[in-house]
Amino acid sequence: MTVPHHFLLTPGPLTLSDEVRAQMQYDVGSRDACFKTITAQVRNIIVDLVDGRDAYSVIPMQGGGSYGIEAALASFVAPSDRPLVCINGIYGERMLKMLQLRGVHVVSMTAPCDEPLSTSKIAEYLRRNPAVTHLCFVHCETTTGVINPLRPIVELAKKHGVRTIIDAMSSFGAVEISAKQVQFDVLVTSSNKCIEGPPGVSFVIASLEMLNSRVKHMNSFVLDVRDQWNSFEKSGEWRSTPPTHVIQACAKALERLTIEGVFRRGERYRSVRDAIIGATAPYASPLLNAKIRSPVCLALTAPNVIRTQKDLDALYAHLVDYNLYIYTKLHSQTRSFRIGCMGRIDLMWIRLLEIAFQDFFDANRGVRKYLSASKNRSVEKVL
Ligand SMILES: *Cc1c(COP(=O)(O)O)cnc(C)c1O
């Protein structure tokens, strides 16, 4: 079955540039010199993007973002450690669950989903609980798009001699992160968010100090970040079959990110986000106040119309008629739904979104009827 490209307004996977997509048509050998060079390129560009040369190393891991997070937790948190997970959304919850599944004695503190984590509350917790060894949190909680204060939290952890493991899945590439300014221990991102690559690989960015520390607790082969790192350092090779096509596309995507720059990419997403706010304004409003909104995705509420998952299912199905794809799940706590601002979004899609919202919320079915009657015609013709 072949499908036309969806107009993706999801916070990953996202619309690729033609250039990046084109890289996936080349078959190369996974242990060949050519692929080793591409892998090294990918690792070097990411180290440079975080200003981490000489102090950090990037270890690509097979699998999506969650695989990278679980690998980092499995490799850098021992069962005897006492990690604290600070939670204000589903990805924070996921880190907690991963540690619990590993039998680690983990503690957590939970903040409201529509507020950033409070540095003063974390400070108080660390003061009262000197046994805490690691602090785990999400930089940009994609649940609502709230951005957490990276630098103050990392500085606080450092002051207490606590290691930091950060989920920067949806911030890396669009929000500037400099290891010179923010001396995190481990930060994880993935190929299919603001790097604008295809899904399939995650990147663990770890300090050389963490990588060089000896551990006895490792009980997994595939999740072993140090072992993968040793393999890259010794032979330039992945331990087991890598996603060769995805890595080639990532190399191109990272080249493009370097040219555009993280700041400008953030600005581009911000303008998409603000255009979405404008396009949906009469019917839906942003969950978060402007100060704490990240540029990467937007959580909207429409309290009179979108109350349940069923309501969102109806809106989703309606938008699909326009070839528009938003995130499918309602966040039940805040009754918000998400629209992604990342990837190669054409501003015409936002205009289309405006029309689709008008049609849905005003129950003026004219355009919709026309579209359903002409499914095979391209959406552009309607515009
Ligand atoms: C997308 C995302 C993840 C999970 O990534 P998967 O590739 O779906 O496993 C984790 N954390 C955050 C903050 C994310 O945005």
Side-chain angles (χ1 to χ4, degrees):
M1 186 179 86
T2 56
V3 292
H5 287 306
H6 291 181
F7 297 166
L8 291 178
L9 296 172
T10 41
L14 38 68
T15 296
L16 303 176
S17 70
D18 292 338
E19 249 186 309
V20 168
R21 199 182 296 113
Q23 290 299 311
M24 286 188 281
Q25 60 191 315
Y26 304 111
D27 306 326
V28 297
S30 67
R31 296 188 191 275
D32 179 74
C34 154
F35 188 68
K36 289 190 206 178
T37 305
I38 295 169
T39 299
Q41 231 172 1
V42 164
R43 295 179 63 214
N44 287 334
I45 295 180
I46 295 177
V47 162
D48 285 341
L49 280 167
V50 291
D51 254 346
R53 210 156 261 254
D54 302 327
Y56 290 81
S57 189
V58 172
I59 303 94
M61 301 294 291
Q62 292 94 333
S66 303
Y67 288 72
I69 295 284
E70 189 148 6
L73 295 174
S75 302
F76 301 113
V77 182
S80 56
D81 287 330
R82 289 291 171 267
L84 164 67
V85 185
C86 300
I87 301 169
N88 60 342
I90 53 175
Y91 293 108
E93 302 269 6
R94 190 173 287 178
M95 285 177 119
L96 174 65
K97 184 166 183 191
M98 285 171 176
L99 286 162
Q100 285 169 338
L101 284 169
R102 301 194 62 75
V104 175
H105 183 101
V106 53
V107 287
S108 64
M109 53 187 290
T110 303
C113 289
D114 51 1
E115 285 174 22
L117 294 170
S118 152
T119 312
S120 58
K121 283 192 183 140
I122 300 173
E124 194 184 319
Y125 194 97
L126 291 180
R127 244 192 333 268
R128 288 197 184 161
N129 298 276
V132 169
T133 54
H134 294 68
L135 205 154
C136 309
F137 68 100
V138 179
H139 183 201
C140 171
E141 241 311 346
T142 325
T143 308
T144 57
V146 66
I147 192 104
N148 285 318
L150 182 70
R151 188 172 180 166
I153 297 178
V154 171
E155 281 173 358
L156 182 66
K158 261 198 117 55
K159 202 177 94 189
H160 286 265
V162 168
R163 300 289 188 193
T164 43
I165 299 182
I166 300 155
D167 173 345
M169 220 62 71
S170 66
S171 55
F172 182 89
V175 179
E176 281 177 300
I177 301 171
S178 162
K180 290 225 167 78
Q181 286 167 19
V182 181
Q183 287 159 28
F184 60 83
D185 293 292
V186 180
L187 188 136
V188 184
T189 189
S190 75
S191 55
N192 67 307
K193 304 251 163 123
C194 307
I195 288 176
E196 297 193 351
V201 65
S202 52
F203 302 102
V204 178
I205 307 168
S207 69
L208 295 179
E209 190 197 339
M210 288 293 261
L211 288 165
N212 281 313
S213 61
R214 301 219 164 274
V215 295
K216 296 196 192 85
H217 69 266
M218 210 53 215
N219 61 357
S220 163
F221 172 76
V222 292
L223 298 179
D224 193 340
V225 173
R226 283 186 193 83
D227 198 41
Q228 179 102 319
W229 174 62
N230 280 324
S231 175
F232 287 135
E233 295 296 311
K234 284 200 185 103
S235 64
E237 288 180 25
W238 300 61
R239 295 171 301 163
S240 61
T241 308
T244 48
H245 302 83
V246 172
I247 287 294
Q248 289 178 83
C250 283
K252 179 54 81 178
L254 284 160
E255 186 189 300
R256 287 193 60 122
L257 174 55
T258 305
I259 294 167
E260 184 174 16
V262 170
F263 178 78
R264 265 175 297 168
R265 180 156 296 185
E267 288 293 296
R268 172 157 64 84
Y269 292 177
R270 218 167 269 127
S271 66
V272 168
R273 181 197 65 196
D274 295 341
I276 295 172
I277 294 174
T280 56
Y283 313 104
S285 42
L287 174 72
L288 303 178
N289 76 45
K291 256 197 175 147
I292 57 172
R293 258 177 236 154
S294 70
V296 299
C297 78
L298 178 69
L300 290 172
T301 61
N304 298 324
V305 182
I306 309 292
R307 292 191 207 92
T308 63
Q309 181 63 47
K310 254 191 139 150
D311 298 332
L312 184 61
D313 292 346
L315 174 62
Y316 182 87
H318 174 79
L319 294 177
V320 167
D321 282 347
Y322 295 75
N323 201 37
L324 294 167
Y325 292 79
I326 63 170
Y327 194 71
T328 53
K329 286 192 190 140
L330 188 79
H331 182 240
S332 54
Q333 259 170 292
T334 55
R335 290 191 181 177
S336 63
F337 56 99
R338 276 169 279 175
I339 301 187
C341 313
M342 47 174 80
R344 310 307 301 188
I345 292 173
D346 185 332
L347 284 175
M348 281 308 287
W349 306 352
I350 312 293
R351 174 75 187 114
L352 193 59
L353 186 73
E354 185 172 0
I355 296 167
F357 262 63
Q358 273 168 14
D359 187 33
F360 184 82
F361 284 88
D362 290 343
N364 167 7
R365 306 312 226 202
V367 177
R368 189 178 188 200
K369 255 193 256 144
Y370 176 80
L371 276 169
S372 342
S374 58
K375 271 250 149 89
N376 297 330
R377 267 183 251 175
S378 76
V379 177
E380 283 94 301
K381 280 197 193 132
V382 180
L383 295 172

